[in-house]
């Protein structure tokens, strides 16, 4: 652009422009107008619309997992556009809500891009919908930024969607249990009913949404689910109180489901509130005759509970005995361990990282198996040749971010590790 008052002489060389090429029009891509004989050369500027699309893409895309084997870009785009129209989610007006689909056939997932941020949020209510005979998962992508998305449009689905038109129950899926304060609750005993689990979770406050994941063939619980509290301040209290909690022969694994979700309250206050809630919860369960769930036995063997300390929190006791084995929690989720390639990648990453702190002997990451209760799923166990390496690893890894989660590192009894017992 020439300075004010300057004249541009026809045919003169302009910096950044090839000789003999017409001067580009402001805000126009080359080839934007394929018709006619005119070609727009030079270095293109990015139109405001294109910049807006790029900036909002993270909030306009949704992750769709568990796709049927015959799914492709066209069938996915057509299906989700039709479903969005059926539930009344097309807030941008007539036309297809889906503008682009990227599919990973090998891992059976896709990223579906919507026209607007609001339509993407409405699509989140479609979690669990049946597509070609398969119930698919609808989630936010890993690059979703909740705080930035909040400035671009609604982050929750419209409460006026007609989900019943496509066989969904309002509030039962991720539409009610989504957002940065969404909590993953794993390690649930299979015999607990949905009502019993909700009662446990609601001892910390009323829920905005709850989704117990069930086997689509049998209708039985898969042992994990998701929830969101009406009061976001309750989130970290509930996580601190429930994570590592013993329930019969199972141990709960509770954490934020969103990689971008960050703990908000002060940690000391979280632990103090959580300790109080646990006491209240145990009394309530005993009074209602539900003490068969066995909420006792919290914490790790040999580690006494200290005032203000919660189970599974690293460095919680001055009496903690050092060992050559360190257990890491909140590192991986059961879903991440099912795929062989993804499991191998995680294993190699852990070996590389943990090998920095000493002579690493072994890394064990228990994997989930269909129909079996596998102890230690969601944890990573690392064994060193001496306690010095384990101590360095524990101090370095505790509180570190891995895969979007804040790692909790604790010593693990050597005799249990040697015996292959990972359920502590």
């Amino acid at each position: 652009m020439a300075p004010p008052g300057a004249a541009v002489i026809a045919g003169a060389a302009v910096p950044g422009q090839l000789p003999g090429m017409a001067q580009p029009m402001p805000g126009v891509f080359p080839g934007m107008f394929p018709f006619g004989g005119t070609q727009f050369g030079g270095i293109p500027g990015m139109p405001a619309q294109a910049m807006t699309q790029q900036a909002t893409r993270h909030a306009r895309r949704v992750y769709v997992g568990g796709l049927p084997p015959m799914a492709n870009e066209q069938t996915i785009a057509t299906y989700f556009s039709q479903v969005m129209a059926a539930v009344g989610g097309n807030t941008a007006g007539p036309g297809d809500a889906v503008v682009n689909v990227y599919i990973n056939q090998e891992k059976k997932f896709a990223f579906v891009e919507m026209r607007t941020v609001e339509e993407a949020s409405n699509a989140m209510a479609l979690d669990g919908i049946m597509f070609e005979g398969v119930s698919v998962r609808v989630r936010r992508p890993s690059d979703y930024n909740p705080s930035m998305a909040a400035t671009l449009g609604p982050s929750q689905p419209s409460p006026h969607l007609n989900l019943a038109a496509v066989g969904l129950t309002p509030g039962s899926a991720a539409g009610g249990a989504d957002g940065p304060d969404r909590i993953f609750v794993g390690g649930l005993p299979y015999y607990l009913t949905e009502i019993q689990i909700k009662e446990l979770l609601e001892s910390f406050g009323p829920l905005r949404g709850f989704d117990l994941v069930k086997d689509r063939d049998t209708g039985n619980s898969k042992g994990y689910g998701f929830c969101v509290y009406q009061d976001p301040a309750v989130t970290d209290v509930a996580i601190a109180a429930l994570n590592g909690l013993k329930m019969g022969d199972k141990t709960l694994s509770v954490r934020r489901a969103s990689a971008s979700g960050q703990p908000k309250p002060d940690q000391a206050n979280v632990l103090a509130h959580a300790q109080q809630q646990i006491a209240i919860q145990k009394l309530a369960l005993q009074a209602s005759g539900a003490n068969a769930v066995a909420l006792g036995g919290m914490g790790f063997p040999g580690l006494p509970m200290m005032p203000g300390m919660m189970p599974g929190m690293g460095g919680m006791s001055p009496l903690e005995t050092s060992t050559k084995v360190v257990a890491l929690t909140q590192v991986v989720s059961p879903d991440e361990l099912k795929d062989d390639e993804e499991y191998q990648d995680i294993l190699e990453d852990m070996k590389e990282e943990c090998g920095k702190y000493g002579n690493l002997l072994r890394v064990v990451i228990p994997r989930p198996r269909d129909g079996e209760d596998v102890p230690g799923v969601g944890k990573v166990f690392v064994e060193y040749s001496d306690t010095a390496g384990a101590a360095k690893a524990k101090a370095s890894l505790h509180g570190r971010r891995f895969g979007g989660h804040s790692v909790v590192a604790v010593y693990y009894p050597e005799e249990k590790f040697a015996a292959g017992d990972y359920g502590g």
Side-chain angles (χ1 to χ4, degrees):
M1 181 179 292
V8 178
I9 301 173
V14 178
Q17 182 178 338
L18 296 175
M21 299 296 289
Q23 185 177 353
M25 292 176 63
V28 177
F29 281 122
M32 180 179 287
F33 303 103
F35 44 83
T38 305
Q39 295 295 323
F40 297 92
I43 299 174
M46 179 174 283
Q49 182 181 3
M51 288 191 291
T52 301
Q53 288 178 343
Q54 184 66 31
T56 61
R57 180 162 286 125
H58 74 98
R60 290 187 296 105
R61 294 194 311 162
V62 296
Y63 165 91
V64 180
L67 292 171
M70 301 304 292
N72 58 49
E73 285 90 344
Q74 186 59 50
T75 59
I76 294 170
T78 301
Y79 179 76
F80 275 89
S81 289
Q82 291 174 347
V83 167
M84 287 288 288
V87 301
N90 285 10
T91 54
D96 293 338
V98 177
V99 296
N100 190 29
V101 175
Y102 164 77
I103 186 170
N104 185 317
Q105 292 280 10
E106 188 178 333
K107 295 193 175 181
K108 302 289 188 297
F109 71 83
F111 292 108
V112 180
E113 184 177 337
M114 302 292 177
R115 291 180 297 185
T116 66
V117 173
E118 186 174 4
E119 287 183 342
S121 294
N122 286 341
M124 294 303 297
L126 303 177
D127 182 44
I129 194 167
M130 298 298 291
F131 174 45
E132 295 183 2
V134 174
S135 176
V136 295
R137 300 185 302 276
V138 181
R139 303 282 189 269
R140 294 290 190 183
S142 59
D143 64 347
Y144 178 70
N145 187 321
S147 55
M148 186 181 295
T151 66
L152 302 173
S155 57
Q156 297 298 324
S158 167
H160 305 298
L161 297 178
N162 182 19
L163 297 178
V166 293
L168 293 174
T169 304
S172 64
D178 185 48
D181 296 307
R182 186 171 183 243
I183 299 174
F184 168 83
V185 184
L188 292 166
Y190 298 112
Y191 56 78
L192 285 184
T193 66
E194 192 165 340
I195 293 175
Q196 289 174 321
I197 297 169
K198 288 182 72 173
E199 285 179 353
L200 173 67
L201 296 172
E202 287 176 338
S203 63
F204 299 93
L207 295 171
R208 192 186 77 211
F210 173 69
D211 176 22
L212 178 64
V213 180
K214 300 178 182 179
D215 186 283
R216 63 173 179 270
D217 296 324
T218 66
N220 295 331
S221 166
K222 285 193 171 185
Y224 69 94
F226 301 89
C227 73
V228 170
Y229 286 95
Q230 289 183 14
D231 181 3
V234 172
T235 303
D236 294 301
V237 175
I239 291 172
L242 295 173
N243 187 49
L245 187 67
K246 291 282 189 182
M247 298 190 73
D249 59 346
K250 306 274 281 185
T251 303
L252 294 187
S253 173
V254 184
R255 64 175 184 278
R256 285 176 178 268
S258 171
S260 55
Q262 300 290 334
K264 297 185 178 96
D266 177 73
Q267 186 73 354
N269 291 337
V270 168
L271 297 179
H273 285 303
Q275 192 75 1
Q276 294 171 4
Q277 291 286 353
I278 281 290
I280 295 170
Q281 172 187 312
K282 291 172 78 172
L283 288 173
L285 286 170
Q286 289 169 1
S288 64
N291 54 352
V293 173
L295 293 175
M298 293 183 290
F300 289 86
L303 300 184
M305 283 293 292
M306 303 294 287
M309 300 293 184
M310 286 304 302
M313 302 301 291
M316 68 179 181
S317 168
L319 302 177
E320 187 175 4
T321 304
S322 61
T323 68
K324 299 176 185 177
V325 182
V326 177
L328 307 174
T329 59
Q330 297 186 181
V331 180
V332 293
S333 68
D335 285 344
E336 291 171 332
L337 302 174
K338 291 180 179 179
D339 182 84
D340 291 339
E341 278 189 32
E342 197 167 357
Y343 176 83
Q344 201 59 40
D345 289 343
I346 293 171
L347 186 61
E348 293 304 319
D349 287 348
M350 294 308 303
K351 285 180 178 178
E352 181 180 348
E353 179 62 30
C354 296
K356 298 174 182 178
Y357 309 112
N359 184 20
L360 186 64
L361 298 181
R362 196 156 48 125
V363 175
V364 176
I365 307 178
R367 296 184 69 179
R369 291 190 292 270
D370 290 339
E372 293 185 43
D373 179 19
V374 180
V377 171
K379 296 182 182 180
V380 176
F381 299 86
V382 290
E383 181 186 28
Y384 291 88
S385 61
D386 53 35
T387 55
K392 187 176 180 182
K394 179 177 178 293
S396 301
L397 294 173
H398 183 71
R400 285 269 301 274
R401 304 289 294 178
F402 186 87
H405 308 301
S406 184
V407 177
V408 175
V410 296
Y411 288 118
Y412 195 78
E414 293 174 17
E415 62 275 11
K416 293 189 70 175
F417 181 80
D421 182 359
Y422 309 124

